[in-house]
Amino acid sequence: MLDYHIIVIGGGGTGAAVIHDLTQRGFKATLVERGELTSGTTGRHHGLLHSGGRYAVKDQESAIECIEENMILRKIAPEALELNEGLFVAITDEDEAYAEAFLSGCEECHIPTRTLTPKQTLELEPKLNPKLRLAVQVPDGTIDAWRLPLHFFATAKHRGADIRTYAEVIGFLQQGGVVSGVRVRDHRTNQEYDLKGDLVVNATGAWAEKVTAMANADVPIRPSPGVMVAVRGRYHNMVLNRLHASGDGDIIVPQRNLSVIGTSSWVVDDPDKLGLPEDHIQAMFKYGSEMVPTIKDAPFRAAWSAARPLIGSKGEDEGRELSRTFKCFDHKERDGVEGLVTISGGKATTLRGMAETTVNVVCQKLGLDIPCRTKEEVLLPYRAYYN
Ligand SMILES: Cc1cc2nc3c(=O)[nH]c(=O)nc-3n(C[C@H](O)[C@H](O)[C@H](O)COP(=O)(O)OP(=O)(O)OC[C@H]3O[C@@H](n4cnc5c(N)ncnc54)[C@H](O)[C@@H]3O)c2cc1C
C-alpha cells in the first residue's frame, strides 16, 4: 500500500467509483458521507444506462463518454444492469424530421443504431402509441441506482477502504492555503473530530459549491433538479425516449415492476431546497402518455425530485442547455488552494470514467505514475458490501 492517505467527501456513485479507483491503485482512503450511502442524487436518479443517444446531437462530448462507459459497465458490473436496450420513438412530423440529425449524431459518436418501421416497433413494444412514425434502437439499458455504486463500495471496502456514513464535513483543516484534512461531525454520536489526509477529493455532486466554499475555494456548479414519477406496472421492456431534442417527460424507464417517467429541468441555488412542483408531476403523465397511452391511467406509486450537479456559472445557460459532461477541478490552479480537488458534472452512467480522471489528477499532484485498471476488473457483487 502507498504511504498516502486520501479523503473522499460524498458517498454517491462518483465517490464510490473514486474510492474504488484509489484503493485499486494502492492508496489508503477514507470516505465520509453526511447521510446514508447514495442518499444524494445517486439514490434518486432515473436509472437510465445511457447509450449517449440523448446527447448525440447537441452534447457530443457527453454522448461519447456515455457510450464508452456504458460498454465498460456491462463488463465490470453486470448484476446492476438490465440490458433491455432502448428505443427513440418518433410520434409527430417534427420528431420524424429530427431522425436525420439523430442518426448522423449517433454515427459521429459511434453509437450503434437500428431504424425500425412502425410494424417492427409495435411487434417489439405493443403498448407504444400506434400512431408512431418510426423508432431507432440503441444500446440503452436500465441501471439499478443503488446496486451499481454498491459494487464499487464493496470492492473498495474489501481492499481496506474506510467508509463512514452519517459523517458530515463541516470544515477543512487548512493553513497557508494548504488543505491537510477535514473537520467531521458524526451524526450518530454528535461528536466532532479531525481527519488528516494528504489530499481531499470533493465528490459531493450538487453540494460541491457549498463544500468548496468551506475551503475558500469555488467551483462552477448549477444544481439542476428534475421531477420523476413512478407508476405501478411495466408497460414495455425497453427504455423509451422520445425522438426529439431533450424535453420534459420524454423518457420512460422500466424499473422492476414500475415504470419511471421523467424528467423536468430547472436550476436552484440550494440543493437542499428542491421542492416538487405539482404541475411537473402532471406534465410527466401528459408527456409520458404521448409515447405510451396506458400511462395516463396507470396507478401512481411515487413522485420525487433530485438535483443534477451540472457544470456552469450563474448567469450562463440554464438547465437543459448545460452540458452533461464532467470535469475535475484542481483548486491549486483555480483558487490557489493546495490539497483539494473537486469532481463534478457527469452522469451515473459515467461514474467510472469520472473516477479515472480524478485519480489521474491525484496521482499527478503527488508525482506518481500509476495506471488506472478499473476498466478491466470485474467488481465484487453488491452483496459483498454487507459481509
Ligand atoms: C432528475 C435526474 C435524473 C437523472 N437520471 C439519470 C439517468 O437516468 N442516468 C444517468 O446516468 N444519470 C442520471 N442522472 C444524473 C446522476 O443521477 C448524477 O449525475 C449522479 O447521481 C451524481 O452522483 P454524485 O455521486 O456525483 O452525486 P450525489 O449522488 O449527489 O452524491 C454526493 C453526496 O455528497 C454528500 N454530501 C454533501 N455534502 C456533504 C458534506 N458536507 N459532507 C459529507 N457528505 C456530503 C451528499 O449527501 C451526497 O450523498 C439524473 C439526475 C437527475 C437529477
Side-chain angles (χ1 to χ4, degrees):
M1 188 180 280
L2 296 165
D3 201 19
Y4 289 104
H5 177 216
I6 313 299
I7 298 168
V8 182
I9 317 174
T14 309
V18 168
I19 198 159
H20 163 58
D21 193 325
L22 284 167
T23 50
Q24 195 194 51
R25 294 199 216 193
F27 288 96
K28 182 172 179 244
T30 304
L31 182 140
V32 280
E33 160 57 49
R34 70 176 188 171
E36 194 43 270
L37 296 178
T38 75
S39 58
T41 305
T42 296
R44 289 181 278 160
H45 70 70
H46 209 153
L48 168 45
L49 175 70
H50 283 279
S51 62
R54 188 163 175 84
Y55 308 115
V57 175
K58 285 184 99 179
D59 190 1
Q60 293 200 336
E61 192 180 355
S62 175
I64 292 166
E65 288 162 3
C66 285
I67 186 66
E68 288 179 359
E69 295 301 325
N70 174 318
M71 294 299 148
I72 294 168
L73 289 180
R74 287 166 190 253
K75 288 187 213 140
I76 67 170
E79 279 190 13
L81 309 177
E82 184 185 338
L83 301 181
N84 42 349
E85 296 279 295
L87 288 178
F88 279 75
V89 187
I91 310 281
T92 61
D93 288 346
E94 294 78 35
D95 295 354
E96 198 174 1
Y98 187 75
E100 193 183 333
F102 178 78
L103 287 166
S104 60
C106 286
E107 196 179 344
E108 281 155 24
C109 299
H110 308 292
I111 301 163
T113 55
R114 183 164 80 108
T115 304
L116 303 173
T117 63
K119 183 167 177 287
Q120 288 170 318
T121 313
L122 289 166
E123 272 167 16
L124 284 172
E125 295 295 0
K127 289 212 163 60
L128 273 168
N129 185 337
K131 293 189 186 135
L132 70 95
R133 308 292 175 86
L134 64 89
V136 181
Q137 186 175 344
V138 293
D140 280 346
T142 299
I143 303 176
D144 186 304
W146 299 278
R147 286 179 181 174
L148 180 60
L150 271 188
H151 279 285
F152 286 90
F153 282 125
T155 315
K157 195 173 162 190
H158 282 255
R159 280 212 174 88
D162 180 358
I163 297 166
R164 304 183 188 185
T165 52
Y166 299 98
E168 179 167 3
V169 169
I170 54 167
F172 284 86
L173 312 180
Q174 202 174 7
Q175 220 175 20
V178 181
V179 167
S180 60
V182 291
R183 179 87 179 151
V184 178
R185 179 174 297 137
D186 183 329
H187 288 294
R188 286 196 168 102
T189 61
N190 241 345
Q191 303 289 310
E192 290 180 13
Y193 61 91
D194 290 343
L195 184 63
K196 296 211 168 205
D198 296 289
L199 221 138
V200 178
V201 175
N202 172 20
T204 53
W207 290 267
E209 190 182 16
K210 276 189 164 183
V211 170
T212 48
M214 290 191 252
N216 301 315
D218 181 43
V219 71
I221 290 298
R222 299 297 283 138
S224 168
V227 165
M228 279 152 291
V229 170
V231 293
R232 287 200 175 87
R234 188 166 164 127
Y235 305 97
H236 43 90
N237 274 318
M238 297 162 98
V239 172
L240 302 180
N241 273 265
R242 185 82 176 257
L243 185 60
H244 64 189
S246 302
D248 288 353
D250 57 358
I251 303 176
I252 312 177
V253 180
Q255 199 44 278
R256 301 184 193 178
N257 196 30
L258 296 172
S259 301
V260 184
I261 314 152
T263 170
S264 52
S265 180
W266 71 103
V267 290
V268 293
D269 288 328
D270 186 348
D272 286 312
K273 293 186 185 137
L274 303 185
L276 185 58
E278 179 60 32
D279 56 329
H280 289 219
I281 299 175
Q282 296 316 321
M284 295 308 116
F285 277 101
K286 176 176 183 289
Y287 296 123
S289 56
E290 286 178 7
M291 273 198 292
V292 180
T294 331
I295 292 287
K296 188 159 76 64
D297 301 312
F300 175 82
R301 171 71 178 79
W304 66 97
S305 54
R308 303 169 186 90
L310 301 185
I311 299 166
S313 301
K314 289 191 181 88
E316 279 185 3
D317 291 339
E318 307 263 287
R320 295 217 184 275
E321 297 80 32
L322 291 169
S323 169
R324 267 53 178 168
T325 188
F326 59 82
K327 196 162 176 186
C328 183
F329 299 91
D330 176 354
H331 291 287
K332 171 72 180 161
E333 286 168 13
R334 202 178 148 76
D335 314 283
V337 174
E338 185 53 286
L340 176 65
V341 299
T342 293
I343 173 68
S344 202
K347 308 287 303 172
T349 304
T350 60
L351 78 177
R352 191 217 60 87
M354 294 169 75
E356 176 174 352
T357 301
T358 309
V359 182
N360 285 346
V361 171
V362 169
C363 287
Q364 190 202 335
K365 286 182 72 61
L366 297 171
L368 301 168
D369 180 15
I370 311 171
C372 175
R373 292 186 294 111
T374 55
K375 277 184 193 170
E376 289 100 45
E377 187 187 27
V378 177
L379 297 164
L380 289 181
Y382 59 87
R383 294 174 297 279
Y385 182 74
Y386 300 103
N387 53 46

